[in-house]
Amino acid sequence: MKRSLLIMTLFIFLLAACGPAPSVSAIKPPFIETGISSETWASVPAGDFPYGQHDHVTFVEDFDIMVTDVTVEQYAQFLNDALASGDISISEFEVEAGEVVWHEEGVGGYYEGDPFDGYKHEEEIKPGDKLFMPMVDGLRLTYDGSLFTALDSYTNHPMTLVTWWGADAYCEYYDYRLPLEAEWEKAARGTEMVDDHGLPFPWGVEIHGNNANFYSSFDLFERMFGRLGNTTPVGFYNGQTYGVGEESYETHDSASPYGLYDMAGNVWQWMGDDYHDQHYRYMRGGSFYSYEVDLRVWKNNSAGPQHYSPSLGFRCARD
Amino acid sequence: MKALGKRLDYLFRSTRGLTLVAISAVAIVTAIWGTLSGPMVEWGVRDITVNLLGMDLTQADREGRIIMLYHTIAMTIVAIEVYFMTEILPMKRHEQVIINMTTTVGYLTALIFGMGFAYFGHNFVFHGLFLLGQSLLFFAGILLSAALWPWKKEYRLEADSPYAHTKKGVDLERLAFFTMAVATLLSATFGAVTGSYWGNGHETFLGEDLIRVPHKTALQKAIIGHLHIMLTLVAVAITLIVGRWMKFQGILHRVAMPLMIVGTIIITFGALSVVWLPWAHTTIYFGSVFVMFSALLYVIYTWDKLIKDGTADIEKPTFGQKMGALLRDPLKFGPGWQMVFMNFTVSGVGIFMAVKLDEIFRVWPHREERITLTGHWHILAALIATIIIFYYMDLSKVEGKKRKWAGWTIIIMSDLAFASATIFSMKRLFVAESEQQSLVNTVMLLMDLGLGVILVVLAMFLIWRLYDLFKDKGYWNEEFSAEKKMNAEAEIAEQQKKIEELQATLKEVSK
């Protein structure tokens, strides 16, 4: 019996000792040109659409929305512009989440605060200087003391590690805004009904690994860097076949009915809604960390506005 | 034909046979539907299952499908517990037969047609039959509660009985079973009433998706209360059942049973009052203390018993000898150990979450909090399943090396899997998202390994039972004969008592 237990324990430890997987910050992917411009906008006309998992008919006014997520290069440009205009600063910021307060070095600026209802579990978001982007490992841009520059291999990847304030500040700076959940979902799924349901994915009713970047989708970067993978350049899933070294990877054209890319997978996207009785901000779309079920267009995620992550980005909308 | 009839007779008319059918049903559902998620998806097995069986997996219906899957598995587990109860608790033979029969037809109808509706196109005739199956199981619950009525004179205990009882001899263990059964019926009613609003003001949802919604509807709260209390009551039932198996008695039993009764009532009230009381959680915590303390007394009693029985022939046993005795029989040690282990992976996590909710868990993204929530109740459900397996293996007379290997493999591998699942669900405490993959890969591997090995052990056990069914004089025959003998003796005693009563009546009227 003792011998059996010993063998079993050894077996378990051997398995547990499998080689370490690289962290996201350690990955240096090759630059891949997708041919999709991050400067493009799409127009979504006013009208009804099936909203949410249960397809509630909902009206949304017309609006424009970015075809891709904001890229690292675009965000670097914003930081440089806003630094020059004095709208943001590099400093140590106090971050408050729940009952915990800590300080983080990064880029930040003023935020006017949120209405506070004092509801159970609601945290007050007071006016003041807020952290937009922490200076941490994994950041895809460098700062040489005067200028932010996107890392070569990441220029056309979605900007990540931005708080909700950082995303909101980018959009506000250019007179845009973050999309609302209903707007985002309409842009993602359109108005088409198949078998009495709205589309569950931007491109249709089924999902394959070649449609989007999600956990274990066996995309190009998962092949190169392990199962975790990495973000893909914006607009990657456009029907092109990419060749990197000996690797060749075919994608399906997975644009939404309005021509938007990456509305499922790659990175979660911050939404602009501020709901009563709660301080959470919502995210949509799922990410390269998500299982495919979280890529369904009605699924959301939430966190306080101070949250940032390597799997979280944003895009802007405008009226 | 006669041979087949005899086997069917065993499988559907004996407690052991019925339990074997139900465990096999859960195993088959787990084996097939387990391929639709987790690593099986990554390996492409899901697509094979879906194509082979012609499943219809509409994306918008996923939550509804999962709810029906939970219900069919839960119905089957409840059926197994009912079979155990009708076997170990004194009741009339006809009560046992009618309860088991209604239970069997109920859970099989719910399982077959529930899964048919959920996964193979939405045929609403199937949905109706799914509801019929659940209704039959509910009716069986009413019959069980009636049969368990603890104030019947014939079930009262003698004053010197080592089992907990009142001054008037009311069996408190029976009262605990009765309380659990009635609480289950009440909680099922909450689910059923809310379910009747489905498509009529109520929409399908998974509880964990709503945790951050500040204003939930009464129907949503009713479902959340229902799902929590049903699993708790399944846990209470198995605790009482294994207590009976281990002949839990004496002073600890006398303390434990009132605690279990009071705890069951308070916790049920607490969970259901979520609908209208803002302080329902406080009630739940309060009730949990009673139930968990009662379970602790069971653990103390059984471990002490295992040590005493195992060292009975040693005058002054050493610590090592005592430990040896405690660990000698994994099937009997297992239930208590799993209850202790549960404190680290379920209760402990739950309490930690409650205490640190605003400080930690609500700071994490919702998806992370959700993983912790779903993780801890999946672990509780799986721990209950292992305890059922321990008990059924003991009933099946798995002895010698097979008993030790099977028992220890289940304990070690399940604990490995559940500990890994707990670390996975709480990973944000130890590692940032960008650095998590090594940890995730390791714990996922250990989780899959642990659960996979348990399923292999269960499959081997069931294959042995299946192989045994092909033998004329197999163990099944022995089990069936023993049960028939026991039932016949019980029925004769019942009949004799009845004859005596009738004779007394005749004597009285002829005066």
Side-chain angles (χ1 to χ4, degrees), chain A residues 78-240:
Chain A
F78 154 69
L79 293 175
N80 292 329
D81 293 347
L83 258 183
S85 62
D87 287 298
I88 61 170
S89 60
I90 299 170
S91 178
E92 192 177 78
F93 292 87
E94 186 180 275
V95 185
E96 196 177 349
E99 291 161 14
V100 192
V101 179
W102 70 95
H103 291 85
E104 251 182 278
E105 179 81 21
V107 179
Y110 183 77
Y111 179 70
E112 62 192 3
D114 290 342
F116 181 57
D117 304 298
Y119 198 72
K120 194 178 176 187
H121 300 301
E122 186 184 3
E123 306 287 340
E124 187 172 7
I125 310 295
K126 294 174 188 160
D129 285 339
K130 306 292 180 189
L131 179 72
F132 291 174
M133 181 195 79
M135 299 287 218
V136 289
D137 277 352
L139 207 57
R140 289 157 174 198
L141 33 78
T142 55
Y143 181 61
D144 62 6
S146 61
L147 211 61
F148 284 95
T149 311
L151 295 176
D152 286 344
S153 50
Y154 281 115
T155 51
N156 62 348
H157 280 243
M159 180 62 196
T160 56
L161 296 171
V162 256
T163 64
W164 182 88
W165 293 307
D168 180 62
Y170 175 94
C171 296
E172 292 272 330
Y173 190 80
Y174 297 110
D175 284 335
Y176 310 145
R177 59 181 173 78
L178 287 168
L180 302 177
E181 284 199 90
E183 291 173 338
W184 186 94
E185 191 175 319
K186 184 174 181 183
R189 76 195 308 196
T191 55
E192 189 188 349
M193 300 285 281
V194 178
D195 294 334
D196 296 331
H197 291 295
L199 296 182
F201 300 109
W203 54 86
V205 294
E206 286 186 9
I207 181 168
H208 302 285
N210 309 62
N211 282 123
N213 185 3
F214 58 96
Y215 189 70
S216 264
S217 58
F218 300 104
D219 62 62
L220 187 60
F221 292 158
E222 283 189 26
R223 288 189 197 172
M224 294 167 77
F225 306 118
R227 202 160 53 153
L228 170 67
N230 198 351
T231 55
T232 37
V234 296
F236 183 75
Y237 293 90
N238 60 11
Q240 273 197 61

Side-chain angles (χ1 to χ4, degrees), chain A residues 53 56 227 277 289 309 311, chain B residues 42 63 203 215 367 433:
Chain A
Q53 183 169 10
H56 294 292
R227 202 160 53 153
D277 297 337
Y289 277 135
S309 151
S311 60
Chain B
E42 293 162 28
E63 282 70 11
E203 289 171 338
H215 303 289
R367 296 282 129 188
E433 196 177 352

Side-chain angles (χ1 to χ4, degrees), chain B residues 143-191:
Chain B
L143 295 175
L144 178 69
S145 304
L148 288 177
W149 186 254
W151 292 277
K152 281 180 198 163
K153 277 192 179 162
E154 61 261 44
Y155 301 132
R156 294 204 178 187
L157 300 174
E158 299 294 328
D160 59 350
S161 167
Y163 294 97
H165 57 83
T166 64
K167 278 184 184 169
K168 288 187 176 174
V170 174
D171 180 350
L172 289 179
E173 188 175 82
R174 194 179 186 87
L175 182 56
F177 274 107
F178 174 78
T179 308
M180 177 276 302
V182 172
T184 305
L185 289 172
L186 195 64
S187 310
T189 309
F190 251 66

